[in-house]
Amino acid sequence: MTDAPSDRRPFWPRRSPAFLRARRAVRGVVGESLDDGPRTYQRRAPGVVVGLSGGADSLALTAACVAEAMAAGECAAVHAVVVDHGLQEGSAAVAEKAAATARGLGATAEIIRVDVPGGGDGAGEGPEAAARTARHAALHGAALRLGRPLLLAHTLDDQAETVLLGLARGAGATALSGMDPDRTWDDGVRVVRPLLGLRRADTEAVCDELGLEPWHDPHNADPRFARVRARATALPMLEELLGPGIAENLARTADLLRADARALDALADDALRTADELDVGDVVTLPDAVRTRVLKNWAEANGSAPLAAAHVTALDKLVGDHRGRGPVALPSAETPGHPGSRLVAHRKGGTLAVSRGFTAPPRSRSEPRSDPK
């Protein structure tokens, strides 16, 4: 990784209003990353890591961060990470071009190539979701390695689409809170989305002002994907039928629900004093929104995979009206060496407990049935 010179001249025209808006959006987090405060284990070096795909949003984010770092005399404090998941033909060339563009602006850059499980034909949501998971893991790992915050280029439009898709699924407050603008993970990595207040049209205008040629991901125009249909059809139709401002209102809903969800999560954390057995008498009197969070967090702390709404409802019934109810099966990753293992929650006196049992192996058709009892 070579440092870019810090005495570069501005690469933006004197009149560039869209770029100025992007710079203002990133100014706070870039400034914080370049302060003279103590370097902790999580902050080994000043600067930021930017997730760069080569699209208009991430190009605008990278350029804005470089401009703010240049203003502080530390141009090379911006490190762009391009993830090549290889799902599309020519993805290596797209990654190389994006990295070269970042270096041309004055950032440092690297390309991380990842293998995506589930095939690379792009059919359906499976490979796309797997690619997204692999991409986020690679970006997160780079930020952890460098000890810098990770900046992602999601816009207000992305937030609106996320909330709309959550509404379509019947999701709860946590999902409808959308993408968190600023979150620090347990390993110390801070993930910031500074462009959530800007529209996609703003980032496209930034590229126009700077003479940057963004890459257009063909997946972003593929109607097989629900997010593309929300973007291209559902949101414009809502604007036409209900009036302008739908995207802004959906994003505002996410902000309001995020505050509520955080308050409820904090109450649930206070109520969940143990990760082992759960006292039913303590839980049953909690307000519904807190009780269901306690049950979800408790089950997942005891080895369950993330619970769906149906699992939480079943646990809630086991707490409130358990008469005649058997154990509740919970989703669980298979235990190594025990491919038939399963996880169940059950009442044990006045407490809830989680046990790991084993399912019977499938019987071949030639195997005789045992007599029913």
Side-chain angles (χ1 to χ4, degrees):
M1 185 190 306
T2 58
D3 288 345
S6 60
D7 58 350
R8 297 171 58 95
R9 293 183 178 181
F11 53 80
W12 57 93
R14 179 170 297 179
R15 177 167 174 76
S16 48
F19 187 49
L20 180 58
R21 289 194 293 273
R23 288 187 60 178
R24 286 171 174 164
V26 307
R27 185 165 295 164
V29 64
V30 173
E32 289 172 15
S33 75
L34 298 176
D35 66 17
D36 295 325
R39 307 296 178 210
T40 64
Y41 175 76
Q42 290 82 11
R43 277 277 317 281
R44 290 190 292 274
V48 296
V49 172
V50 177
L52 176 61
S53 68
D57 299 342
S58 59
L59 281 177
L61 176 62
T62 303
C65 289
V66 170
E68 289 302 303
M70 285 176 62
E74 298 201 42
C75 179
V78 178
H79 183 62
V81 177
V82 186
V83 179
D84 177 14
H85 46 57
L87 287 184
Q88 301 171 9
E89 185 176 353
S91 64
V94 171
E96 292 288 354
K97 181 180 179 181
T101 300
R103 296 186 186 106
L105 292 170
T108 57
E110 68 174 304
I111 297 172
I112 299 177
R113 292 179 172 84
V114 297
D115 293 323
V116 178
D121 58 359
E125 293 285 356
E128 189 77 1
R132 183 167 55 251
T133 298
R135 181 167 61 251
H136 287 178
L139 294 172
H140 191 102
L144 181 62
R145 166 169 49 87
L146 294 173
R148 298 179 177 185
L150 170 62
L151 274 58
L152 301 178
H154 298 104
T155 66
L156 185 147
D157 296 85
D158 296 309
Q159 186 77 297
E161 292 157 12
T162 299
V163 176
L164 183 60
L165 292 172
L167 287 169
R169 294 194 308 269
T174 300
L176 296 181
S177 299
M179 295 175 284
D180 201 323
D182 193 341
R183 174 179 179 180
T184 300
W185 293 80
D186 291 341
D187 58 6
V189 173
R190 181 185 177 194
V191 179
V192 187
R193 296 177 172 87
L195 302 187
L196 283 180
L198 299 184
R199 301 297 302 268
R200 191 168 292 125
D202 293 322
T203 63
E204 293 170 350
V206 168
C207 292
D208 288 341
E209 291 174 358
L210 302 183
L212 299 176
E213 183 181 352
W215 172 61
H216 299 285
D217 186 348
H219 282 177
N220 289 337
D222 190 337
R224 290 178 299 171
F225 301 117
R227 183 173 288 272
V228 173
R229 297 193 296 273
R231 176 182 306 158
T233 304
L235 277 170
M237 184 178 296
L238 288 173
E239 294 268 358
E240 180 182 349
L241 295 176
L242 302 179
I246 295 298
E248 290 86 349
N249 290 340
L250 287 171
R252 187 180 306 113
T253 295
D255 292 340
L256 295 172
L257 283 174
R258 191 178 308 114
D260 292 347
R262 284 175 175 168
L264 291 169
D265 288 342
L267 292 173
D269 289 342
D270 290 342
L272 184 57
R273 299 184 181 90
T274 175
D276 191 9
E277 295 180 355
L278 196 62
D279 189 291
V280 172
D282 291 340
V283 175
V284 73
T285 59
L286 295 172
D288 293 353
V290 178
R291 184 177 66 252
T292 53
R293 280 172 165 77
V294 167
L295 293 171
K296 184 177 188 297
N297 294 344
W298 168 78
E300 292 173 2
N302 279 277
S304 171
L307 298 187
H311 299 116
V312 178
T313 299
L315 285 176
D316 200 28
K317 290 180 178 178
L318 191 61
V319 168
D321 182 17
H322 68 283
R323 289 172 295 180
R325 298 188 185 277
V328 174
L330 302 175
S332 173
E334 290 186 347
T335 303
H338 300 285
S341 65
R342 65 189 180 97
L343 206 63
V344 295
H346 56 90
R347 288 282 294 251
K348 188 171 71 173
T351 63
L352 281 187
V354 170
S355 299
R356 188 173 293 277
F358 298 93
T359 57
R363 185 179 59 249
S364 66
R365 292 189 177 184
S366 60
E367 182 178 346
R369 292 177 176 270
S370 59
D371 292 334
K373 294 183 179 179

